[in-house]
Amino acid sequence: MSKTVNIGIIGTQFMGKAHANAYNQLPRFFDTSANPVLHTACSRNREKANEFSEQFGWSKTETDWRKVVANDEIDLIDICTPNHLHHPIVMEAAKQGKNLLCEKPMALNTREAREMHEAAEAAGIIHMMIFNYRYVPALALAKKMISEGDIGRVYHFNAVYYQDWLTDPEFPYVWRHNVKETGSGAHGDMNAHIVDLARHLIGEFEAVSGVQEVFIKERPTGKGNEKAKVSADDATLFLARFRQGALGTFNATRFANGFKNHLRIEIFGSGGSLLFNLERLNELQYFSAGDNPDKQGFRNILVTDRSHPYLEAWWPPGHILGWEHTFVHQFSELIEGISLKKAVTPNFYDGLKCQEVLDSVVTSAQKEKWIPIGIDD
Amino acid sequence: MSKTVNIGIIGTQFMGKAHANAYNQLPRFFDTSANPVLHTACSRNREKANEFSEQFGWSKTETDWRKVVANDEIDLIDICTPNHLHHPIVMEAAKQGKNLLCEKPMALNTREAREMHEAAEAAGIIHMMIFNYRYVPALALAKKMISEGDIGRVYHFNAVYYQDWLTDPEFPYVWRHNVKETGSGAHGDMNAHIVDLARHLIGEFEAVSGVQEVFIKERPTGKGNEKAKVSADDATLFLARFRQGALGTFNATRFANGFKNHLRIEIFGSGGSLLFNLERLNELQYFSAGDNPDKQGFRNILVTDRSHPYLEAWWPPGHILGWEHTFVHQFSELIEGISLKKAVTPNFYDGLKCQEVLDSVVTSAQKEKWIPIGIDD
Amino acid sequence: MSKTVNIGIIGTQFMGKAHANAYNQLPRFFDTSANPVLHTACSRNREKANEFSEQFGWSKTETDWRKVVANDEIDLIDICTPNHLHHPIVMEAAKQGKNLLCEKPMALNTREAREMHEAAEAAGIIHMMIFNYRYVPALALAKKMISEGDIGRVYHFNAVYYQDWLTDPEFPYVWRHNVKETGSGAHGDMNAHIVDLARHLIGEFEAVSGVQEVFIKERPTGKGNEKAKVSADDATLFLARFRQGALGTFNATRFANGFKNHLRIEIFGSGGSLLFNLERLNELQYFSAGDNPDKQGFRNILVTDRSHPYLEAWWPPGHILGWEHTFVHQFSELIEGISLKKAVTPNFYDGLKCQEVLDSVVTSAQKEKWIPIGIDD
Amino acid sequence: MSKTVNIGIIGTQFMGKAHANAYNQLPRFFDTSANPVLHTACSRNREKANEFSEQFGWSKTETDWRKVVANDEIDLIDICTPNHLHHPIVMEAAKQGKNLLCEKPMALNTREAREMHEAAEAAGIIHMMIFNYRYVPALALAKKMISEGDIGRVYHFNAVYYQDWLTDPEFPYVWRHNVKETGSGAHGDMNAHIVDLARHLIGEFEAVSGVQEVFIKERPTGKGNEKAKVSADDATLFLARFRQGALGTFNATRFANGFKNHLRIEIFGSGGSLLFNLERLNELQYFSAGDNPDKQGFRNILVTDRSHPYLEAWWPPGHILGWEHTFVHQFSELIEGISLKKAVTPNFYDGLKCQEVLDSVVTSAQKEKWIPIGIDD
C-alpha cells in the first residue's frame, strides 16, 4: 500500500472536521489500494487552519484556496466551504486537473452545477459529491434490497428532514440566513440529502410542487437591538412524481421542535416497505408482504452484522456505529476510485441532478404550480 | 333519566355496527340527560336488517329509508350509507325536522354539502358529523394542550393516513373503486379525517396543492377474466397553507404496505410538539421546549388517567381503550345536545368546510396548481 | 339461542364492572350457544348494588352473598369480592351445585385453593378462573405460535408487571395493604397474572427463589396523623426454573414510577423469540431465526387481522381493541362451556397451580433459599 | 502537550482493536494534558502482532508479554488478554511500577482480584478497569441525574444483557466455553458490565441469589463428529438486595434470540425513573414524577447535545455516536490521571467489588440460597 492520495482540504468547520476524521480512520479499518495523506488544510483564518492541522494531523496549512488548488503535490481537492465558493473552486481545480470532492449542495443553482459537472468531465478527473447518507449501512442495505426486488414496485417515497435549532425567535442572525451566501436555507442544506437518497433509491424525479416559508422574518444581529431580514427558507416542503410512477412527499424544516437531526424515510412497494430514521441509523425497518399473513409486521433489522454493508470492517454484531462512520465508508470508495482511476458515485452528475430538483422546487413555490424536471438527459 | 332519544339508523355495515355498539355502551358508562333508544334499523337487504337488529337490539327493521325518515317516533336519523345517499337522506330528513348524524365524508361535493348544511340550519335541528377521531382521548388532550398554549404558535401540521388493503393488484373491483358511488377513494375516506383534525386542532386552511393517483388502473371483477376500470383514487397527497401561518403535508394512501389503519399526526410549535398514531391511540407524545435543556425529549403520555378526557368513565390507569370507544365519547355529546337542544360540534358546518378542502385538493390536482380555499365565511 | 345462563355476581367494584360489561357485550359480538342473563348483583352496600344494577342492567340486587348462592334460578356464581371471601363463597356455591367463575388470585393460600378445587370437581360443575390475559389476542396468538413450534425450545421466560400507584409515601393506607384481607400485595395481585401466563405458555414451574419488600413501612390512615403498618408486599421478585428446562425472572412491583399497568413478557427460544407489552396489547413482537440472516429483526405484528384470535368478531384490521375485550373473549368460552357442560380452562386446577407457585415464592423469600414446586401432580 | 504516555498493549483481538482505535482518536477530540503514544503491541502470534501494529500504528511488536512489562520506556500496560492472564500480568507489571489498564472481568475469582488490587495499591500506580459503559454519554447523564436527585430514592435496579450467538446448537466449541480459560461464560463477560453499572449508579450490593445454566451441554469441536463438554454458563440470572434498600434483577444470557448486544437497564425511584438500552446508546428515557400529572410520560432524551457528557468534543446535536466512542471517553480520564498522577475510577477496587458480587452469585447458585456480599470494607 505504498500508493498515496495527497489531500488538500478547503474549509475547516464542522464538515472539515468530519472529513479529516474520516481520512484518519480510513486506513485503520478499510483495505484500500492507496492511502489518504493529510497534506494541506486551508482556512481564511490562519489560526483556525493551524489549530485544525494540529488536531487532525495535516502537514501544511494555507489561507488562500488558490494556492492549494495550484499545488502540484496535491491529488484531491476536498471542498468544505460555504456553498457560494463551490463553483469557483471547482472550476479552478478542474482546470488544474485535480480530483474533486464537493460538499452538498453542489452549487447556488443549476447553471453553476452544470458548469461544474462539465468542467470535471472535460478534465477527466475523478469527482465525487458528499452525499454521505448513501453510506449509512442501513441505507446501503435498503438500496440492495430494493435492487433485488424485496419490496417490488415502489408506490411511495416519503422523506422528512427535521431539525429545531431555529425554533427560538431569539436565535441570532447568521450567514446561513442569507440566501446570497448559502443559496438556500433548509432546502439546500437538508432537502439536498433526501432528494439525493430518493434518486439513489428509486430513480429520477418527473415533476415537483413545493412551498417555502420564512417563519421568523427578522432575527437579532447581536448589535444592540438591530435585526436583520432573513432571506433563507426556514422550511421547504414539496410533492413529487417520479418517472417510475411513484409519488413522494418531502419536508425539510428547522422548526420541528424536539427533533435534532431527524431524517426519516418511508418507502412503500408492492412487495413490502422500508422505514429509516437517521437518529437510529443502525436500524432499518422492513415489512415483507410475503411473510405468513398471521405473522407479518415491520421487522426492526439491527444493521450491525458482519454480512451487512461496511460492517465487516468494524465491530461484532450489536456494537453500533455513529454518524461519522458514513464518511469513512464514502471515502473508501473515493480513494479507491482515485487510486484505480475509476469513476465513482455519487458524482457531479448526481450533484447536478439534485440541484435541478432543488431549483425546480423553488420555481414551483414561486409560480405556485407543478414544474417538470429537466428532461435533457 | 326518563328522557329518551329514539334512533333510526340507515346502513348496517361496518359503521352501522360501530354506531349500534356505541348506543348500547353509552348509558353504561356515561351519565347523559337522555337515553338513546335503538328504535329502527334500516337496510335495503331485509335479512341483513333483521340480523343486525337482533345482534344489537333494534326494536324494528325497515328496508326503505324514506319510511324511517317519515316515522314520527324517531328523533335522530343516523346515516351510515354509501356516500352518494348522504345528500338525499339529509335533505328529506331535515324537511321532517329530524335531528341528524352523518358519516364522513359529508357529500359527493361541496355543493351538496352546502345544501345539506343550509337545510339542517333552516330546520333548526341538531346536526352532527361523525369525525370520531376528535374523540380519541389522546387527541382531545392534544386539543386542550394546544388551546392552553402548551406548544405555542404552530408552524407545521403533518398528517398521514396509511392503509394497505389495495396493494395487491388482484384485490377485486368493489363499489369503493367507483367514483360515482363513493365520490372519491382514499381522499374522501381517509383525508376527510385528517383534514377535519387539522381544522379542529389548528384552524382553517388557506390554500392547497395536491396530486392523486390510481396505481392499479384495472381490477378483476371476479367474472371470468373481466376487469373493470378503477376511477377512485388509490392515493391523494397534498400540501397546505393554514390561515394562521402554518404549513402542512397530507398523505392518504391504500398502498402503504404494512400499515393497516395508520393515522399519524405531527404538530410542531414554537413551544413544543405533539405526535399521535391511531394504531397506538392511547398514547400522545409531547415535547416541551420548556423542559430543562439537558433533560428534554418527547414524553410518551399514556392517556389513560382518570384526569384525561373521557377516561373517568372507564377503567383505572394503564387499562387501554380501543377504537370503538371514540363513538361512545362522541355520542355522549350528541345525545346531550339533542336532549338539551344545544348545538354540537363537529356539525354540518364542519362537514362542509372539510368538503371544501377535499374538493379544492381535487381541483388543484387537475389544474396542477395551488387552489385557495373558499373565503366566503 | 333460546338457552340462557343466569348469572349472580358478587362484588360490584372494578372487576364487577368489567365482568358486567363483558356479559352485555358477549352476545352482540360472539355467537355462543347460550345467552348470559344478568340476573342478580350482590354488594354488602345496598346503594352500590342498586346503582351497579341500574348501570349494567342486572334484574335483581342482593346484599347477602349467601342468598345469591342459594337462589335456584341462578346458574353461575361470579366472584369479584376481596380475596379472603373467595374460599367461603366457592365452598358454599359448590355445595349448591352452582357453576363458578372466580377472580384471581384464587385464595389466600394453597390449602384453601386445594379445597376449592376439590369441592368444584366433586360437585361436577363448570369452574373457571379469571386469567383474562390469556385472552388478549396477541397472547392467544403467542400461545398458538409456541404450540406450533415457531420459537422452538424455550430457554427463557421473563415477565414483569409494573405499576406505580404506591410510589407516593403519602398514598393512604387501604385494605390492599393489609395482608389479612388481601392475602398478599403486588404478589397475589400481579404475579398471579404472569405466573399463570408462564404456565399457560411454556408449562409447569419446577422451583423458585424470591424476595419480597415493603418499601414504605407505614402509611397515613387519614385520621389525623395516624399511620398504619403495611403488611402486604410492595414488590415481589423471583427466579424460576421450569420443568421443560427454561429459566425465568418475575418482577411485580407497585413502585415502578411511570408505569401504569405494564405487564411485559419476553420468551426466547431456539427458533425465535416473542415480546409482549400489555399497554400495547394489540401488538406482538416476533423474531424468527429462520428469516434471511441479513433481514432478520423483531417483527411488530399488529394483531388486529380477521385471521387473528377473536378478531373476526370485531372490527377491520388496524382498529385496535382495549383491555376490556379480554373478558368478552374469556366469557365466550365460559358460557359455551356451561351451555355444553364442557370443562373450560383456565379453571380451578390452574388457580391451584398458580397459588402453589405464589406460596412457594413467599416461603422461599422467608427461608432465603430455593423452594421446589409441589410435585404431587 | 509535549507530555506523553507510552503504551504497551497485550492482546490484539476485539478489545485490542477497540483500545487502539481509542488511543488514536483521543488527541483528535479531547484536550488531555498528555498524549497517548502507541509504543508496543504484543501478541503470542507474531504475524497478528505485526498486522495489528501496522493497522493502528504501534511502533514495536512483541510476542512475550513479560518483555513488554519489563520495558522501561513503557508507562502503561493495557491488558486485553483472555481472563486467566489478567492476574499474572498485573502482578508482574505492578512489581515493575507500571500503570495498569485491565479489561473486565478483572480475574478468575475474588482471591486473584484482591491480590491484584493490593499489588496495584502497594505499587502506588494508576490503575483502571475497563468498564466502558460508564462512559456512554447517556449513562454518564443518568449518573449525574441520580446524583442530583432527579429520581429520588431508588427502589428498583433491573438489568439484562442479552446476546444470541450461542442459540444455535451447532455453534462450535471455543475457548469461551471452557471455564478454566474464561473463568465463566455469560456471567463474567456480561454480568460484569451490569454489576459494575449497578454499583456505579446506585451503590453496593448487600446479597444475591442466582441461578446458572448450560443449555447446550456439548458442542462440536469441528474435528469429525467430536463434541466437547461445555463448562462455561450460557446464562446466569440473579436477584439482588442493595445496601441502600433497593431490589434488583440481573439477567445475562447468550440465548436471547434476536438480541445482539442488548444491555438494558431500568431504574425506578421515588421521584422518577430512567431506562437505557445499549443498542440505542444515544438515548436515555426519563420519567419525572414532578411533571404535570396530565402530561407525564417517559421522555426520550437524545443525548447528543453539546451540554451532555463528552458531547462537546464531537458533533452537533442529533449526530449520533457509536459504541467505540465509550473507550475514547474512558481513556481521556485514564491519560489525564496518569499525566497528573491522580487516581481514576473505575479502578481495581471497582474490579474487586464487581468480582465479589460475581463470585457470590456463583456460590448462591451452587448452594441454592442467598449469599451476603463481603462486608470487609
Side-chain angles (χ1 to χ4, degrees), chain A residues 155-156 158 162 209 211 213 237 239 241 249 251 253 255 257 264 266 269-270 272-273 287 368-370, chain B residues 155-156 158 162 209 211 213 237 239 241 249 251 253 255 257 264 266 269-270 272-273 287 368-370:
Chain A
Y155 295 122
H156 291 278
N158 302 324
Y162 294 154
S209 170
V211 60
E213 187 65 73
L237 291 58
L239 303 175
R241 284 183 175 283
T249 61
N251 190 337
T253 180
F255 277 70
N257 231 328
R264 192 176 67 218
E266 302 172 335
S270 59
S273 295
F287 176 83
E368 301 210 334
K369 63 174 191 179
W370 283 79
Chain B
Y155 295 122
H156 291 279
N158 301 324
Y162 293 155
S209 171
V211 61
E213 188 65 73
L237 290 58
L239 303 175
R241 285 184 175 281
T249 61
N251 191 336
T253 180
F255 278 69
N257 232 327
R264 191 176 69 219
E266 302 171 335
S270 58
S273 294
F287 176 83
E368 300 211 336
K369 64 174 191 179
W370 283 79

Side-chain angles (χ1 to χ4, degrees), chain A residues 102-207:
Chain A
C102 186
E103 263 295 337
K104 42 66 31 193
M106 188 173 184
L108 297 188
N109 52 57
T110 301
R111 183 189 49 73
E112 278 190 6
R114 187 168 289 116
E115 287 176 14
M116 293 157 74
H117 174 233
E118 287 169 0
E121 281 291 298
I125 59 167
I126 303 299
H127 46 89
M128 192 176 222
M129 282 298 301
I130 286 287
F131 285 123
N132 57 308
Y133 295 152
R134 292 191 183 196
Y135 293 89
V136 172
L139 288 177
L141 178 60
K143 170 71 178 173
K144 184 167 171 282
M145 290 172 71
I146 293 170
S147 302
E148 293 175 356
D150 284 343
I151 62 167
R153 170 187 167 191
V154 172
Y155 295 122
H156 291 278
F157 185 98
N158 302 324
V160 303
Y161 202 157
Y162 294 154
Q163 297 180 348
D164 69 358
W165 53 286
L166 286 186
T167 311
D168 180 358
E170 296 308 309
F171 189 95
Y173 184 87
V174 293
W175 71 271
R176 281 182 177 279
H177 292 113
N178 182 356
V179 80
K180 284 185 190 149
E181 279 189 76
T182 184
S184 70
H187 190 44
D189 191 32
M190 296 153 74
N191 273 333
H193 274 299
I194 51 184
V195 164
D196 178 69
L197 286 174
R199 288 186 62 251
H200 179 55
L201 293 169
I202 72 161
E204 299 295 348
F205 287 71
E206 183 174 282

